[in-house]
Amino acid sequence: MHHLRSYVVKVYRQQAGVLTGTVQEVQSGRTVPFQTMEELWQAIRRPPPASASAPPRRRTSGAEGDSSSPKERKS
């Protein structure tokens, strides 16, 4: 099964037609620099590190530190 991966891509245009930047994979924190469009695509296509293979945990909608589900809460 494929899991969605999120990235932060920073692109810097230094001169006309010249792109450089970094790609950060949000879940692992891994940052990879690139200097061409091909290197950008390689950074995004790279398989995730083994420790990032588990799907991200869902955030709860309750108050911080409140582990009860909405149905269990008393009004």
Side-chain angles (χ1 to χ4, degrees):
M1 175 181 237
H2 295 287
H3 299 287
L4 293 178
R5 293 165 43 194
S6 299
Y7 299 93
V8 175
V9 179
K10 296 181 181 179
V11 179
Y12 306 98
R13 186 174 178 183
Q14 297 179 345
Q15 300 171 3
V18 177
L19 296 176
T20 61
T22 59
V23 175
Q24 178 186 20
E25 186 173 6
V26 173
Q27 188 173 1
S28 70
R30 178 187 71 184
T31 300
V32 178
F34 65 89
Q35 295 185 2
T36 65
M37 289 299 292
E38 182 60 32
E39 289 178 357
L40 168 60
W41 288 119
Q42 287 174 0
I44 292 174
R45 284 187 255 152
R46 183 174 292 155
S51 62
S53 61
R57 293 176 58 186
R58 295 186 69 166
R59 294 182 181 178
T60 60
S61 60
E64 190 172 326
D66 182 2
S67 61
S68 62
S69 69
K71 291 180 182 178
E72 295 172 353
R73 289 190 203 130
K74 295 179 182 177
S75 304

